[in-house]
Amino acid sequence: MGDAPRYLPEYHEAKGDHDFFECCRSPEIAATLTLQPVERYAGLIDAAIIFSDILVIPQAMGMVVEMVDKKGPHFPEPLRAPDDGQYGRIMAREVDVMKELDYVYNAITLTRQKLKGRVPLIGFCGAPWTLLSYMVEGGGSKLFIQAKTWIYKYPNESKALLQKIADLCVDYLAQQVVAGAQLIQVFDSWAAELSPSAFQEFSLPYLKVISTNLPKRLQQLGQDKVPMTVFAKGAWYALDALCESGYDVVGLDWLHDPAEAMNIAKSRVVLQGNADPGILYGRREAITREVEKMVKGFGGGKQGWIANLGHGITPFVNPEDLKFYFEEIHRVAGS
């Protein structure tokens, strides 16, 4: 789950009066927040994911992003049109991800030291389509009017921006690996807003830019390749294409039937997922039932898949119910 541990009471203690992006920019706070689930659920989870945010890339590109309490991310000045002045400045700007995002790398290095090898550390970024959506919508959206306007009215300018974002993601992820990340994940949180043909045109090619060029970039930097995961939320129609997209792991949301997904994947990739996070609001027996169905769907054992939720943990979840979910996965998959 590529998710800040906001569901944990200790998260709010460690965060204190700092705003969200201040926490991201403080290696000490980011490391502390990354370790919280590992320490609370010791022996139950197999990896940590660095505390950060996908929107650090638009910030590095020169855009202002604020995290508004109870509302989420907000861009005071989103991109309006290719001739709005800001688009031209962003496209012309030389972005040094080493300099602009050094706080993320420092957090990764510090977290690796504090983990002491207990579990591997995952680095991540947002997918180009999802980042473009935020940059033009100015935040989350229900209708995606601006994002659809851009891709259908200004397709060439959209593709140029998607390419620039993808190239930055490659450098950013590579530097995360140099800093100590042992796996990376690309989150296409808004993939479901695209039709199958639009996904093929405006998302998939740029996911492939990352999967093709990251290993090359790592080689140039004298680094070994690391496993790469792609998670395109809601793009159930694209599972076959995602299995051919160059990633090692494909994350599934809860719209997938695990057995059908395994049948489509045919061992080309490892699948990761995929319980509905909403089961954590249910009674224990409901959680058990869903875990049993999920484990059975993925083949019944521990091989060939990674247990996860189908998206991040939603608000007001009881951390003890999440612990029970983890324990049930170990019990059911291990039996």
Side-chain angles (χ1 to χ4, degrees):
M1 292 147 296
D3 201 37
R6 299 183 187 92
Y7 55 92
L8 297 179
E10 54 266 39
Y11 166 82
H12 299 281
E13 288 166 31
K15 183 175 178 284
D17 294 330
H18 301 279
D19 79 22
F20 179 83
F21 284 115
E22 282 174 351
C23 294
C24 293
R25 291 191 192 103
S26 161
E28 192 61 53
I29 296 174
T32 297
L33 295 173
T34 301
L35 289 170
Q36 285 178 346
V38 176
E39 284 163 355
R40 180 182 270 258
Y41 302 118
L44 292 173
I45 54 177
D46 301 312
I49 188 159
I50 192 65
F51 179 86
S52 185
D53 194 81
I54 64 171
L55 298 179
V56 298
I57 290 266
Q59 287 176 333
M61 295 173 82
M63 296 190 80
V64 175
V65 189
E66 303 159 347
M67 197 62 78
V68 180
D69 205 30
K70 296 186 176 57
K71 187 182 168 213
H74 172 65
F75 290 65
E77 290 183 51
L79 296 175
R80 294 294 180 203
D83 60 1
D84 69 357
Q86 188 178 200
Y87 174 84
R89 287 194 300 275
I90 280 176
M91 293 304 295
R93 182 180 170 130
E94 287 286 325
V95 181
D96 181 351
V97 291
M98 260 311 279
K99 179 168 135 296
E100 297 287 347
L101 299 172
D102 70 317
Y103 59 88
V104 179
Y105 317 132
N106 292 337
I108 287 172
T109 302
L110 181 59
T111 303
R112 274 295 302 277
Q113 291 163 0
K114 291 187 174 209
L115 275 169
K116 297 189 173 72
R118 281 175 283 175
V119 292
L121 181 61
I122 303 169
F124 69 92
C125 72
W129 156 250
T130 289
L131 295 179
L132 177 143
S133 296
Y134 274 112
M135 290 163 74
V136 302
E137 293 288 346
S141 176
K142 282 195 167 66
L143 298 176
F144 289 84
I145 293 167
Q146 303 307 325
K148 299 294 174 78
T149 299
W150 271 80
I151 63 173
Y152 294 123
K153 192 180 270 188
Y154 316 120
N156 293 336
E157 292 89 346
S158 295
K159 288 174 182 176
L161 179 55
L162 289 163
Q163 182 67 47
K164 185 176 181 82
I165 295 167
D167 291 339
L168 290 173
C169 287
V170 170
D171 278 341
Y172 176 48
L173 291 171
Q175 292 302 332
Q176 289 187 51
V177 174
V178 171
Q182 292 150 292
L183 310 87
I184 66 90
Q185 181 153 348
V186 180
F187 288 96
D188 208 353
S189 309
W190 298 127
E193 301 308 319
L194 293 169
S195 68
S197 62
F199 183 82
Q200 291 282 345
E201 188 174 359
F202 294 103
S203 176
L204 189 61
Y206 305 97
L207 293 172
K208 286 181 175 176
V209 167
I210 297 171
S211 64
T212 302
N213 292 303
L214 179 59
K216 295 176 188 170
R217 188 82 187 94
L218 288 172
Q219 192 175 14
Q220 290 167 355
L221 293 166
Q223 298 286 323
D224 292 332
K225 284 199 303 189
V226 299
M228 301 182 293
T229 301
V230 62
F231 176 66
K233 185 175 183 289
W236 54 269
Y237 50 76
L239 179 55
D240 186 58
L242 289 167
C243 290
E244 292 290 332
S245 65
Y247 290 84
D248 306 287
V249 181
V250 175
L252 306 178
D253 60 35
W254 65 95
L255 300 180
H256 290 271
D257 175 85
E260 285 178 18
M262 291 291 272
N263 192 40
I264 292 168
K266 292 188 169 58
S267 303
R268 287 176 290 173
V269 294
V270 170
L271 295 178
Q272 174 173 293
N274 76 325
D276 178 354
I279 68 169
L280 299 175
Y281 297 125
R283 291 196 171 93
R284 295 281 169 102
E285 52 268 33
I287 294 174
T288 296
R289 207 164 48 243
E290 292 302 314
V291 167
E292 286 171 347
K293 283 191 267 189
M294 178 177 73
V295 172
K296 185 181 177 193
F298 281 117
K302 293 183 173 183
Q303 298 300 311
W305 69 293
I306 299 167
N308 205 327
L309 290 169
H311 198 232
I313 295 160
T314 39
F316 313 117
V317 162
N318 181 338
E320 288 304 302
D321 290 332
L322 180 60
K323 184 182 183 186
F324 180 75
Y325 172 72
F326 294 145
E327 288 170 342
E328 285 298 86
I329 290 168
H330 283 273
R331 181 184 69 78
V332 176
S335 55

